[in-house]
Amino acid sequence: MLRRTPHVLQALLQVIDPALAHATEGGDTFSPFDVVGHLIDGEETDWIPRAMLIRARDTAPFTPYDRFRHRERNRGRTLDSLLDEFARLRATNLELLHAWHLSEAELDLRGEHPTLGAVTLRQLLATWVAHDLGHIAQVARVMAKHYAKDVGPWREFLPVLKDRER
Amino acid sequence: MLRRTPHVLQALLQVIDPALAHATEGGDTFSPFDVVGHLIDGEETDWIPRAMLIRARDTAPFTPYDRFRHRERNRGRTLDSLLDEFARLRATNLELLHAWHLSEAELDLRGEHPTLGAVTLRQLLATWVAHDLGHIAQVARVMAKHYAKDVGPWREFLPVLKDRER
């Protein structure tokens, strides 16, 4: 699954209209551009660094995920350049993950999440996958809502337009 | 956008585990396999046939979209074969759509939706796009939920796992 995400996002987002790239669901919700930036943060600061701590039997609490680091980091960037960067970072991280040849016993090793407490490496990897999929769903939902007015009376047959209404 | 959907779904779904291909959100909700079947129904019976009626200035009500036609139609099929079929049907339909060279005036032509009443060709095309995106979001959400137990305590940080709870 983790290999698929860059391809899914490229198929959805490469060379899209900037209005769509920066569309949000209001407030400080994420645009597709923000989501790709957030996923880059995950590659650089979260999943693999946390897995490294666990493998090293280091029980220091993980550094909390900074959900808004990307806003400063990616100012002035294009979405296409972020998509390329995400794909490169993900590929490198998956090479590393494979090279570890994780055993069942290692997958059961525990780390310390700053708010959730003890978590296993196995749970971390499953969360990486579910987190990707949640953000793919978010990107598609935000893009669908961009067409909310254009669909006219069909709105009532498109439940995605009402998901996560604020 | 309409060109992107087959690529997005292939990136998400080609050669996935059948358990994931047939996972649902319970009841008669759609699995990824069902979604691709439903999109094929749209290509064969809905979007282009309705657009043809409108272009022909035919004000007979559209045939209602049969939301469960695909269940009989695709019995015994593999998800990969449905993905290929969807991509072929979509490509053919988009060739036709382009060949029409729709004018602004034609986009404002109206048809009669069996329950929604008067709708324009422009709204039909926007709905085709938003419908695709809604179902992409659904596939990603259903797949994320497949990992709901595996994520352990991270569940509370993954709102996608609670979306459309029944």
Side-chain angles (χ1 to χ4, degrees), chain A residues 3-17 20-21 31-40 43 73-74 77-91 135-136 139 143, chain B residues 4 8:
Chain A
R3 275 190 204 294
R4 294 174 185 264
T5 305
H7 300 289
V8 173
L9 292 172
Q10 283 165 343
L12 264 174
L13 296 174
Q14 263 173 347
V15 298
I16 62 167
D17 185 331
L20 204 43
S31 65
F33 181 90
D34 293 327
V35 168
V36 179
H38 171 69
L39 293 174
I40 287 173
E43 298 308 299
R73 181 189 186 281
N74 301 327
R77 295 282 301 275
T78 65
L79 178 51
D80 286 338
S81 82
L82 292 185
L83 287 166
D84 289 347
E85 187 177 14
F86 173 59
R88 283 194 305 274
L89 290 167
R90 172 61 58 91
H135 284 295
I136 291 169
V139 167
M143 293 171 83
Chain B
R4 294 174 185 263
V8 173

Side-chain angles (χ1 to χ4, degrees), chain B:
Chain B
M1 282 308 312
L2 294 171
R3 274 191 204 293
R4 294 174 185 263
T5 305
H7 300 288
V8 173
L9 292 173
Q10 282 165 344
L12 264 175
L13 296 174
Q14 261 173 348
V15 298
I16 62 166
D17 185 330
L20 204 44
H22 293 281
T24 72
E25 293 172 288
D28 67 358
T29 62
F30 283 180
S31 65
F33 181 90
D34 292 328
V35 168
V36 180
H38 171 70
L39 293 174
I40 286 173
D41 287 350
E43 299 307 300
E44 290 189 329
T45 71
D46 193 295
W47 311 107
I48 287 289
R50 289 176 173 195
M52 285 174 164
L53 270 184
I54 298 176
R55 285 188 78 229
R57 278 72 167 169
D58 187 332
T59 56
F62 304 147
T63 305
Y65 201 142
D66 179 346
R67 292 188 59 255
F68 295 100
R69 170 186 187 260
H70 60 93
R71 294 232 157 125
E72 276 304 315
R73 181 190 186 281
N74 301 328
R75 211 177 283 281
R77 295 282 301 274
T78 65
L79 178 51
D80 287 338
S81 82
L82 291 185
L83 287 165
D84 290 346
E85 188 177 14
F86 172 59
R88 282 195 306 273
L89 290 166
R90 173 60 58 92
T92 304
N93 281 337
L94 293 184
E95 269 178 49
L96 184 60
L97 183 63
H98 272 274
W100 288 345
H101 296 290
L102 292 171
S103 66
E104 290 294 314
E106 282 175 300
L107 288 167
D108 287 328
L109 287 173
R110 284 159 189 261
E112 185 67 18
H113 187 284
T115 55
L116 300 173
V119 289
T120 65
L121 180 51
R122 192 187 300 277
Q123 289 166 342
L124 175 82
L125 298 178
T127 303
W128 192 0
V129 174
H131 180 266
D132 270 19
L133 289 165
H135 284 295
I136 291 169
Q138 177 182 29
V139 166
R141 187 177 74 235
V142 172
M143 292 172 83
K145 289 183 179 182
H146 187 71
Y147 298 94
K149 285 188 182 151
D150 301 330
V151 304
W154 261 292
R155 176 176 170 80
E156 70 172 273
F157 289 168
L158 294 167
V160 66
L161 301 180
K162 289 165 201 155
D163 279 340
R164 305 266 185 110
E165 257 187 359
R166 295 157 65 80

